[in-house]
Amino acid sequence: MPKVDYTTEQIKEIAREENVRFLRLMFTDVSGMIKNVEVPISQMDKVLDQKMMFDGSSIEGFVRIEESDMYLYPDLTTWMIFPWEAEHGKVARLICDIYNADGTPFAGDPRGNLKRVLCHMQELGFTSFELGPEPEFFLFQLDQDRKITKNLNDHGGYFDFAPMDLGENCRRDIVLELEKLGFEVEASHHEAAPGQHEIDFKYADAIDACDSIQTFKLVVKTIARKYDLHATFMPKPMEGIAGSGMHCNMSLFKGNENAFYDENGELELSQTAYQFLAGLIKHARAYTAVCDPTVNSYKRLVPGYEAPVHVAWSGHNRSPLIRVPSSRGLSTRLELRSVDPSANPYLALAALLEAGLDGIQNELVPPEGVDRNIYVMTEDEREKAQIFDLPSTLHNALKELKNDSVILEALGSHIYENFIEAKQMEWAAFRQTVSEWEREQYLELY
């Protein structure tokens, strides 16, 4: 989405002209959930003067009750008027950074934490970290009481269209709404699984891209409800079909130059690109906990459904963790294929950036690229090629995260401690659950 550097006076004038009646002050908690404080337009001056307070103790992963007063600092470049909810006047949003009562940035704010990591990037001579996300989602039918069913909205497949793709009108409406909000949508299509869809939008710098992902999720869910559908970004809502990923296409820039491109380099990639790639390889098992943060995420990361299982890279085939798409010049990028849309984008990007920067700072060299289908290689062949597996469960991923100081630094101690605590509780709850599969397998047999 193109950035506009609005002034406070411009925002006030637009609000008057467009009959904005409510302001939605949005931010993201540690788990990646979008939160908001909605205020009437009469509070506009207080909001723009950065004097709007809220109770941080009620937000997961923020602060204890004895230190709960926090401030919402709106980012004026995120001013946006929603094209719906106009019955009682329009609703506008501002994405906010979280500050402590003493005016310092709050260490537990995922968006603010990403800004901190971007400062480290700039100290190393780079000006921007660009992300092009490819989020996927499923559409499920609602019943007559508007409750979610287990019925997918269609039985279409990759690139299918109506009448097989019954979500086509919904998806088209989502695209139109996104374009009204300033998104530059590059493609939208039915994905491989029944009821699964993908909408890709143009790359942007890390903060803008993460803001766009969160806005995108809100728009998709809102429009789907108008079609009596529920949109979910759950990684693997149904067994036996492909899950939803959010491939991340990443590149570093120095001014207007893509630092990953070198027309004279092998595969036309620069030394910087190879070092960044080596960092992504080195820290892959640790950042998986952040990029695939739910118990359900690991039901997607299994062989046979196009999701990566092995830590390797290729300039050609799609079975490894990291792919180098064929575009060069300004579009030179590395595509990480493990990330899923349940991830907090701000935390995921902070972890991936620090992983790559570690490769650059320590001049790491990646293993040889793998141009074979890794899924048909034997275990011995994979071992000789230095190909290892991603964690198979959230529990294993958390163990890897705890032992990786670079990814811990990317999260900062406050976020790391709260993230680990929440995810350990999630794993403990899952371990205590007896599934229908277990009853079917064991109840009669034993």
Side-chain angles (χ1 to χ4, degrees):
M1 291 160 53
K3 248 186 176 181
V4 179
D5 291 321
Y6 291 106
T7 66
T8 56
E9 291 307 315
Q10 287 174 323
I11 287 177
K12 290 177 183 179
E13 182 61 28
I14 294 170
R16 282 193 293 270
E17 291 177 354
E18 296 292 332
N19 190 32
V20 173
R21 302 294 297 170
F22 293 93
L23 300 175
R24 186 173 290 177
L25 309 177
M26 293 172 51
F27 56 97
T28 298
D29 70 12
V30 171
S31 66
M33 296 297 104
I34 302 169
K35 303 293 182 179
N36 78 99
V37 176
E38 188 167 280
V39 299
I41 195 67
S42 60
Q43 300 297 305
M44 171 76 89
D45 287 339
K46 187 175 182 181
V47 169
L48 297 179
D49 289 341
Q50 301 176 337
K51 293 179 180 178
M52 183 59 63
M53 297 189 75
F54 76 105
D55 179 6
S57 66
S58 61
I59 306 299
E60 182 178 346
F62 272 28
V63 292
R64 298 166 298 182
I65 195 165
E66 62 267 26
E67 48 192 24
S68 59
D69 289 341
M70 314 202 81
Y71 283 95
L72 294 165
Y73 279 30
D75 181 342
L76 302 191
T77 66
T78 65
W79 169 259
M80 175 187 291
I81 300 174
F82 290 119
W84 58 78
E85 301 181 62
E87 182 181 350
H88 301 293
K90 295 180 181 178
V91 178
R93 79 97 200 264
L94 285 163
I95 295 176
C96 300
D97 294 318
I98 310 300
Y99 276 68
N100 298 311
D102 63 3
T104 56
F106 172 48
D109 175 19
R111 191 174 190 263
N113 179 70
L114 177 55
K115 289 183 175 182
R116 176 184 64 83
V117 175
L118 289 169
C119 288
H120 179 211
M121 174 201 72
Q122 291 163 359
E123 290 168 2
L124 298 179
F126 302 100
T127 55
S128 67
F129 180 43
E130 304 286 313
L131 170 68
E134 299 177 9
E136 297 169 344
F137 58 94
F138 280 88
L139 293 174
F140 283 84
Q141 295 175 3
L142 300 178
D143 64 18
Q144 59 186 11
D145 297 320
R146 298 185 66 77
K147 293 182 179 179
I148 304 167
T149 71
K150 294 181 181 179
N151 300 321
L152 293 164
N153 79 296
D154 65 53
H155 298 286
Y158 200 62
F159 286 142
D160 273 348
F161 55 89
M164 287 296 291
D165 177 6
L166 301 180
E168 186 175 88
N169 288 336
C170 177
R171 193 173 65 239
R172 185 180 293 126
D173 207 359
I174 290 169
V175 170
L176 291 173
E177 295 295 336
L178 290 171
E179 289 182 332
K180 288 178 186 177
L181 295 174
F183 280 74
E184 187 173 335
V185 176
E186 295 189 330
S188 74
H189 59 85
H190 199 290
E191 255 298 334
Q196 188 184 33
H197 306 266
E198 178 179 320
I199 298 175
D200 304 333
F201 40 94
K202 189 175 181 180
Y203 69 87
D205 73 77
I207 294 292
D208 287 349
C210 291
D211 290 347
S212 293
I213 290 169
Q214 296 298 74
T215 303
F216 172 81
K217 290 179 177 180
L218 184 63
V219 172
V220 169
K221 286 180 174 289
T222 300
I223 300 304
R225 298 291 291 192
K226 295 182 178 180
Y227 284 83
D228 292 326
L229 298 169
H230 171 73
T232 181
F233 293 92
M234 179 181 177
K236 187 87 168 187
M238 302 286 283
E239 67 273 5
I241 59 177
S244 288
M246 187 173 69
H247 296 179
C248 289
N249 295 272
M250 298 172 285
S251 52
L252 282 174
F253 274 72
K254 289 186 175 181
N256 294 322
E257 299 289 324
N258 187 325
F260 284 178
Y261 175 63
D262 180 354
E263 62 179 348
N264 299 315
E266 186 179 353
L267 297 180
E268 296 184 77
L269 295 178
S270 68
Q271 185 180 46
T272 297
Y274 281 110
Q275 291 170 346
F276 195 97
L277 170 60
L280 291 177
I281 294 285
K282 175 184 175 182
H283 298 286
R285 288 179 61 85
Y287 62 63
T288 296
V290 182
C291 296
D292 303 273
T294 69
V295 165
N296 181 254
S297 296
Y298 298 84
K299 306 295 177 70
R300 168 181 168 259
L301 298 179
V302 294
Y305 296 98
E306 299 187 9
V309 178
H310 308 292
V311 180
W313 73 277
S314 174
H316 302 286
N317 81 71
R318 293 172 181 264
S319 61
L321 173 70
I322 301 168
R323 187 174 76 94
V324 184
S326 58
S327 300
R328 291 297 180 266
L330 290 177
S331 297
T332 307
R333 61 195 188 273
L334 302 176
E335 179 188 36
L336 182 70
R337 303 176 60 254
S338 61
V339 187
D340 75 47
S342 69
N344 181 326
Y346 303 102
L347 298 188
L349 263 287
L352 297 177
L353 178 54
E354 279 292 9
L357 293 179
D358 181 59
I360 294 171
Q361 286 182 281
N362 291 291
E363 300 181 350
L364 300 182
V365 178
E368 290 294 318
V370 180
D371 295 329
R372 293 179 57 191
N373 184 347
I374 299 177
Y375 297 126
V376 300
M377 294 172 69
T378 66
E379 189 173 341
D380 286 343
E381 287 175 325
R382 292 199 301 271
E383 189 173 326
K384 288 177 183 177
Q386 301 178 55
I387 299 171
F388 50 94
D389 295 345
L390 288 172
S392 58
T393 65
L394 177 61
H395 174 65
N396 290 339
L398 292 173
K399 287 198 293 187
E400 296 287 343
L401 174 59
K402 291 177 185 178
N403 293 323
D404 194 311
S405 60
V406 170
I407 306 305
L408 299 188
E409 174 58 28
L411 301 179
S413 60
H414 184 108
I415 289 177
Y416 164 72
E417 290 168 6
N418 283 276
F419 179 85
I420 286 287
E421 181 181 8
K423 292 302 161 181
Q424 286 177 331
M425 290 173 61
E426 181 178 336
W427 177 253
F430 172 69
R431 286 185 63 201
Q432 296 172 38
T433 301
V434 179
S435 67
E436 191 59 37
W437 182 91
E438 291 168 281
R439 280 186 282 269
E440 290 175 358
Q441 293 291 317
Y442 306 130
L443 191 62
E444 183 176 346
L445 183 62
Y446 293 103

Tab-separated table of all heavy atoms in Angstrom, residues 139 141 152-156 161-171 190 197 227 229:
chain	number	residue	atom	x	y	z
A	139	LEU	N	-12.258	-20.913	2.983
A	139	LEU	CA	-13.621	-20.414	3.171
A	139	LEU	C	-14.532	-21.577	3.554
A	139	LEU	O	-14.641	-22.560	2.819
A	139	LEU	CB	-14.140	-19.750	1.887
A	139	LEU	CG	-13.450	-18.449	1.469
A	139	LEU	CD1	-13.969	-17.978	0.115
A	139	LEU	CD2	-13.644	-17.357	2.522
A	141	GLN	N	-18.498	-22.712	4.998
A	141	GLN	CA	-19.883	-22.268	5.014
A	141	GLN	C	-20.348	-22.010	6.448
A	141	GLN	O	-19.892	-22.668	7.383
A	141	GLN	CB	-20.778	-23.326	4.369
A	141	GLN	CG	-20.506	-23.546	2.891
A	141	GLN	CD	-21.330	-24.687	2.317
A	141	GLN	OE1	-22.149	-25.287	3.009
A	141	GLN	NE2	-21.114	-24.991	1.045
A	152	LEU	N	-16.606	-26.988	3.459
A	152	LEU	CA	-15.884	-26.030	2.629
A	152	LEU	C	-16.825	-25.432	1.596
A	152	LEU	O	-17.837	-26.047	1.226
A	152	LEU	CB	-14.707	-26.719	1.932
A	152	LEU	CG	-13.591	-27.194	2.870
A	152	LEU	CD1	-12.683	-28.194	2.177
A	152	LEU	CD2	-12.788	-25.999	3.367
A	153	ASN	N	-16.489	-24.252	1.108
A	153	ASN	CA	-17.435	-23.559	0.234
A	153	ASN	C	-17.427	-24.106	-1.197
A	153	ASN	O	-18.307	-23.773	-1.985
A	153	ASN	CB	-17.139	-22.049	0.210
A	153	ASN	CG	-15.979	-21.703	-0.705
A	153	ASN	OD1	-14.856	-22.115	-0.472
A	153	ASN	ND2	-16.257	-20.957	-1.766
A	154	ASP	N	-16.422	-24.921	-1.569
A	154	ASP	CA	-16.387	-25.462	-2.927
A	154	ASP	C	-15.488	-26.690	-2.962
A	154	ASP	O	-14.866	-27.050	-1.963
A	154	ASP	CB	-15.909	-24.414	-3.937
A	154	ASP	CG	-14.461	-23.980	-3.710
A	154	ASP	OD1	-13.577	-24.865	-3.645
A	154	ASP	OD2	-14.204	-22.771	-3.599
A	155	HIS	N	-15.412	-27.300	-4.140
A	155	HIS	CA	-14.548	-28.461	-4.343
A	155	HIS	C	-13.565	-28.182	-5.468
A	155	HIS	O	-13.110	-29.101	-6.153
A	155	HIS	CB	-15.382	-29.706	-4.650
A	155	HIS	CG	-16.303	-30.083	-3.528
A	155	HIS	ND1	-15.860	-30.672	-2.364
A	155	HIS	CD2	-17.643	-29.908	-3.378
A	155	HIS	CE1	-16.880	-30.860	-1.548
A	155	HIS	NE2	-17.977	-30.402	-2.141
A	156	GLY	N	-13.217	-26.917	-5.648
A	156	GLY	CA	-12.305	-26.536	-6.705
A	156	GLY	C	-10.871	-26.901	-6.386
A	156	GLY	O	-10.529	-27.334	-5.280
A	161	PHE	N	-12.060	-22.140	-11.775
A	161	PHE	CA	-12.949	-20.980	-11.801
A	161	PHE	C	-14.386	-21.466	-11.757
A	161	PHE	O	-14.657	-22.669	-11.824
A	161	PHE	CB	-12.700	-20.113	-13.043
A	161	PHE	CG	-12.810	-20.859	-14.354
A	161	PHE	CD1	-14.019	-20.967	-15.010
A	161	PHE	CD2	-11.689	-21.447	-14.924
A	161	PHE	CE1	-14.126	-21.648	-16.210
A	161	PHE	CE2	-11.785	-22.127	-16.132
A	161	PHE	CZ	-12.998	-22.230	-16.774
A	162	ALA	N	-15.333	-20.516	-11.615
A	162	ALA	CA	-16.743	-20.880	-11.496
A	162	ALA	C	-17.140	-21.760	-12.685
A	162	ALA	O	-16.668	-21.545	-13.793
A	162	ALA	CB	-17.593	-19.603	-11.445
A	163	PRO	N	-18.035	-22.770	-12.477
A	163	PRO	CA	-18.799	-23.019	-11.252
A	163	PRO	C	-18.067	-23.835	-10.194
A	163	PRO	O	-18.570	-24.014	-9.097
A	163	PRO	CB	-20.014	-23.797	-11.765
A	163	PRO	CG	-19.468	-24.578	-12.927
A	163	PRO	CD	-18.466	-23.653	-13.581
A	164	MET	N	-16.861	-24.400	-10.521
A	164	MET	CA	-16.134	-25.173	-9.513
A	164	MET	C	-15.708	-24.283	-8.348
A	164	MET	O	-15.787	-24.658	-7.190
A	164	MET	CB	-14.905	-25.831	-10.144
A	164	MET	CG	-15.236	-26.999	-11.059
A	164	MET	SD	-16.007	-28.365	-10.163
A	164	MET	CE	-14.630	-28.926	-9.176
A	165	ASP	N	-15.216	-23.081	-8.643
A	165	ASP	CA	-14.761	-22.165	-7.605
A	165	ASP	C	-15.913	-21.273	-7.174
A	165	ASP	O	-16.145	-20.208	-7.737
A	165	ASP	CB	-13.591	-21.316	-8.131
A	165	ASP	CG	-13.108	-20.283	-7.117
A	165	ASP	OD1	-13.609	-20.306	-5.974
A	165	ASP	OD2	-12.242	-19.470	-7.460
A	166	LEU	N	-16.672	-21.729	-6.179
A	166	LEU	CA	-17.840	-20.980	-5.720
A	166	LEU	C	-17.453	-19.777	-4.869
A	166	LEU	O	-18.304	-18.968	-4.516
A	166	LEU	CB	-18.779	-21.908	-4.937
A	166	LEU	CG	-19.296	-23.127	-5.721
A	166	LEU	CD1	-20.211	-23.962	-4.855
A	166	LEU	CD2	-19.993	-22.703	-6.997
A	167	GLY	N	-16.164	-19.666	-4.532
A	167	GLY	CA	-15.708	-18.510	-3.776
A	167	GLY	C	-15.245	-17.381	-4.658
A	167	GLY	O	-14.765	-16.361	-4.171
A	168	GLU	N	-15.414	-17.549	-5.980
A	168	GLU	CA	-14.876	-16.565	-6.917
A	168	GLU	C	-15.449	-15.165	-6.675
A	168	GLU	O	-14.724	-14.177	-6.646
A	168	GLU	CB	-15.150	-17.013	-8.352
A	168	GLU	CG	-14.495	-16.137	-9.412
A	168	GLU	CD	-14.704	-16.692	-10.809
A	168	GLU	OE1	-15.731	-16.345	-11.419
A	168	GLU	OE2	-13.859	-17.466	-11.273
A	169	ASN	N	-16.777	-15.081	-6.503
A	169	ASN	CA	-17.391	-13.771	-6.288
A	169	ASN	C	-16.932	-13.152	-4.974
A	169	ASN	O	-16.681	-11.946	-4.902
A	169	ASN	CB	-18.910	-13.876	-6.311
A	169	ASN	CG	-19.436	-14.129	-7.713
A	169	ASN	OD1	-18.765	-13.805	-8.701
A	169	ASN	ND2	-20.620	-14.712	-7.807
A	170	CYS	N	-16.847	-13.977	-3.936
A	170	CYS	CA	-16.359	-13.487	-2.646
A	170	CYS	C	-14.921	-12.995	-2.780
A	170	CYS	O	-14.581	-11.910	-2.306
A	170	CYS	CB	-16.451	-14.597	-1.601
A	170	CYS	SG	-15.791	-14.145	0.013
A	171	ARG	N	-14.084	-13.789	-3.439
A	171	ARG	CA	-12.677	-13.407	-3.602
A	171	ARG	C	-12.546	-12.125	-4.424
A	171	ARG	O	-11.728	-11.256	-4.137
A	171	ARG	CB	-11.914	-14.563	-4.262
A	171	ARG	CG	-10.399	-14.405	-4.181
A	171	ARG	CD	-9.681	-15.629	-4.689
A	171	ARG	NE	-9.914	-15.847	-6.105
A	171	ARG	CZ	-10.460	-16.944	-6.618
A	171	ARG	NH1	-10.836	-17.925	-5.820
A	171	ARG	NH2	-10.646	-17.071	-7.917
A	190	HIS	N	-7.837	-19.492	-6.973
A	190	HIS	CA	-8.132	-20.653	-6.148
A	190	HIS	C	-6.839	-21.420	-5.933
A	190	HIS	O	-6.029	-21.563	-6.835
A	190	HIS	CB	-9.167	-21.545	-6.839
A	190	HIS	CG	-9.855	-22.497	-5.906
A	190	HIS	ND1	-9.211	-23.586	-5.337
A	190	HIS	CD2	-11.126	-22.522	-5.426
A	190	HIS	CE1	-10.066	-24.232	-4.569
A	190	HIS	NE2	-11.233	-23.613	-4.591
A	197	HIS	N	-7.915	-20.385	-0.972
A	197	HIS	CA	-7.720	-19.248	-1.858
A	197	HIS	C	-6.432	-18.507	-1.511
A	197	HIS	O	-5.941	-18.578	-0.377
A	197	HIS	CB	-8.913	-18.292	-1.754
A	197	HIS	CG	-10.228	-18.963	-1.995
A	197	HIS	ND1	-10.839	-19.006	-3.230
A	197	HIS	CD2	-11.043	-19.660	-1.157
A	197	HIS	CE1	-11.960	-19.693	-3.140
A	197	HIS	NE2	-12.114	-20.093	-1.888
A	227	TYR	N	-20.946	-13.038	2.575
A	227	TYR	CA	-21.331	-14.148	1.697
A	227	TYR	C	-21.732	-15.390	2.492
A	227	TYR	O	-21.767	-16.491	1.946
A	227	TYR	CB	-20.169	-14.484	0.754
A	227	TYR	CG	-20.003	-13.495	-0.379
A	227	TYR	CD1	-19.306	-12.307	-0.202
A	227	TYR	CD2	-20.569	-13.742	-1.631
A	227	TYR	CE1	-19.151	-11.393	-1.231
A	227	TYR	CE2	-20.430	-12.837	-2.671
A	227	TYR	CZ	-19.720	-11.668	-2.473
A	227	TYR	OH	-19.581	-10.763	-3.506
A	229	LEU	N	-19.989	-16.871	4.688
A	229	LEU	CA	-18.804	-17.718	4.734
A	229	LEU	C	-17.914	-17.283	5.889
A	229	LEU	O	-17.957	-16.130	6.325
A	229	LEU	CB	-18.010	-17.625	3.426
A	229	LEU	CG	-18.712	-18.094	2.152
A	229	LEU	CD1	-17.901	-17.688	0.920
A	229	LEU	CD2	-18.926	-19.608	2.179
